[in-house]
Amino acid sequence: MDELLLRSLTPSVLAVLVRRGADFAAAEDAVQDALVEAVRVWPGDTPRDPKGWLVTVAWRRFLDATRADTSRRRREDRFDEEPAPGPAPAVDDTLPLYFLCAHPSLTPSSAVALTLRAVGGLTTRQIARAYLVPEATMAQRISRAKRTVSGVRFDRPGDVSTVLRVLYLVFNEGYSGDVDLAAEAIRLTRQLAAIDHPEVAGLLALMLLHHARRASRTGPDGSLVPLAEQDRGRWDTGMIAEGVGILQAALARDRLGEFQAQAAVAALHADAPTAEETDWVQIVEWYDELAGLTDSPVVRLNRAVAVGEADGPRAGLAELAALSDSLPRRTAVAAYLHERDGDLATAARLYAEAAHKAPTLAERDHLTRQAARLNAERR
């Protein structure tokens, strides 16, 4: 297998797809899929025209992805942007597709990745970012999942937990503003309400509580507004009330899960009249519950922030010291805690460093402004 050959051909194959009308991001995804397929096929059957082979496979992958994206958008166009309260009727085939992609022959992580790519409409890069892995690693995982299910019958749908994980990641991608999928994720989660699974209610409550704050998360110019600075008068109180009610009913069943614990944290933020009145001690306790339910480094990062608010910034920094420097947004959290501790020089430096690592343009701009603000205050 000549990896140098693959690397040398990649730019020209990408250029061919762009000339044929593919947008650059979609072309990159298609070429990545073709390269993964080449790694699998070429050692036993190297083509006479490697570039032509890559172009053909990449173009087919691009067309498949385009058709899937078009179908998804048509389904989304049938519904209003904001999710209506109450149960949602099963009026389309989207949710069954989620279950079918979560096939028992796949591992949960592979099923989630495949569903996000094939049904959710997310790019390989977006999925990789959600999983905190390199894009090439995620491309290989998706390719393996496709091969695994290519010859099986889709008559055994996957479990609810895997589908819930997919819907959560789809919602997060929509909530971040990269792709407007948040309302669609809520609609599909409502359709699961008839299933006797405590985490369905937990996930729905979590989505509603986050979505209720959406209007206040950005300023008129599109800039990010931190939670502490958001106009709470713009929060959707009806949606918050619905989310809290669903959460309380779920917690009463005494079958605590990850989504219920996250929803409890969101409810405490929503219940605080002001940022200063947030019950951070109770939030730390819920993060302790979460840490017992999941080994997620993101949970530990959020817990460090909560500890910094409840017990002081130095306590938060002590918690942060145990986390890997490579963890996304760790540097931004360190900057915030150092600022609260009065070390403005270190905070400004870390804000600037975090801006270079930011996954989105909005975050980069926000962190850059924070660094500039502190540098101005120090003069």
Side-chain angles (χ1 to χ4, degrees):
M1 183 68 229
D2 192 341
E3 294 185 9
L4 289 176
L5 174 61
L6 283 178
R7 290 198 194 98
S8 66
L9 289 175
T10 297
S12 59
V13 173
L14 184 60
V16 171
L17 266 64
V18 172
R19 284 199 302 271
R20 288 186 179 183
D23 67 85
F24 190 80
E28 279 189 316
D29 279 337
V31 172
Q32 184 65 250
D33 284 347
L35 292 175
V36 171
E37 187 69 8
V39 170
R40 184 181 72 88
V41 173
W42 285 13
D45 185 20
T46 304
R48 277 187 261 179
D49 180 8
K51 178 181 175 181
W53 188 97
L54 286 171
V55 168
T56 299
V57 173
W59 184 247
R60 287 173 181 167
R61 297 297 170 87
F62 166 73
L63 292 177
D64 288 344
T66 300
R67 292 189 190 103
D69 186 61
T70 300
S71 297
R72 175 183 61 77
R73 292 183 185 280
R74 285 173 181 167
R75 290 193 295 269
E76 291 176 5
D77 288 343
R78 300 174 190 170
F79 302 93
D80 294 331
E81 181 180 349
E82 293 300 322
V91 294
D92 67 293
D93 62 353
T94 307
L95 195 57
L97 286 175
Y98 274 70
F99 274 96
L100 290 174
C101 283
H103 196 273
S105 62
L106 296 172
T107 64
S109 61
S110 294
V112 171
L114 176 62
T115 313
L116 289 171
R117 188 72 182 91
V119 186
L122 275 63
T123 66
T124 303
R125 182 179 292 107
Q126 289 168 325
I127 302 169
R129 190 172 67 223
Y131 269 89
L132 310 180
V133 299
E135 185 177 351
T137 300
M138 183 53 63
Q140 292 175 349
R141 185 179 300 178
I142 294 171
S143 182
R144 284 196 300 268
K146 289 178 181 177
R147 291 199 301 273
T148 299
V149 300
S150 61
V152 303
R153 292 182 60 187
F154 283 86
D155 55 359
R156 293 185 299 149
D159 64 24
V160 179
S161 296
T162 300
V163 173
L164 291 176
R165 176 62 53 189
V166 174
L167 289 171
Y168 177 56
L169 291 174
V170 170
F171 175 83
N172 278 343
E173 201 59 50
Y175 189 64
S176 73
D178 292 341
V179 183
D180 191 11
L181 295 172
E184 172 71 352
I186 292 175
R187 183 183 71 82
L188 293 173
T189 306
R190 289 190 189 280
Q191 290 185 14
L192 290 171
I195 297 176
D196 184 24
H197 192 294
E199 281 290 78
V200 173
L203 177 59
L204 180 56
L206 176 62
M207 289 178 173
L208 291 171
L209 290 165
H210 279 312
H211 206 65
R213 303 200 303 259
R214 185 170 188 172
S216 64
R217 293 184 70 245
T218 56
D221 59 352
S223 60
L224 289 181
V225 180
L227 176 61
E229 300 172 18
Q230 288 176 15
D231 179 358
R232 298 180 182 226
R234 299 185 66 195
W235 290 1
D236 188 327
T237 55
M239 196 175 292
I240 290 173
E242 184 188 3
V244 169
I246 292 171
L247 173 63
Q248 289 175 338
L251 291 175
R253 300 179 65 183
D254 198 24
R255 294 168 62 188
L256 184 64
E258 176 185 350
F259 293 129
Q260 293 174 58
Q262 289 189 59
V265 172
L268 287 167
H269 284 299
D271 188 53
T274 66
E276 292 72 25
E277 296 174 84
T278 303
D279 189 345
W280 286 106
V281 172
Q282 195 173 166
I283 288 176
V284 171
E285 292 174 357
W286 277 113
Y287 275 125
D288 288 338
E289 294 281 358
L290 261 174
L293 293 166
T294 175
D295 193 33
S296 168
V298 176
V299 169
R300 295 196 294 274
L301 181 66
N302 289 335
R303 184 183 181 280
V305 175
V307 168
E309 298 289 355
D311 300 329
R314 294 192 180 182
L317 287 167
E319 295 287 335
L320 196 63
L323 302 180
S324 170
D325 290 338
S326 63
L327 183 62
R329 298 186 174 90
R330 182 192 183 282
T331 305
V333 169
Y336 172 73
L337 292 172
H338 276 291
E339 179 185 357
R340 289 203 59 229
D341 194 39
D343 187 352
L344 301 190
T346 299
R349 176 178 58 78
L350 290 173
Y351 275 131
E353 183 180 329
H356 288 293
K357 303 176 182 177
T360 67
L361 179 61
E363 285 187 53
R364 187 191 71 188
D365 290 346
H366 171 73
L367 293 166
T368 300
R369 284 194 295 271
Q370 295 294 86
R373 173 179 58 81
L374 292 185
N375 285 326
E377 289 179 11
R378 293 169 52 224
R379 291 184 185 133

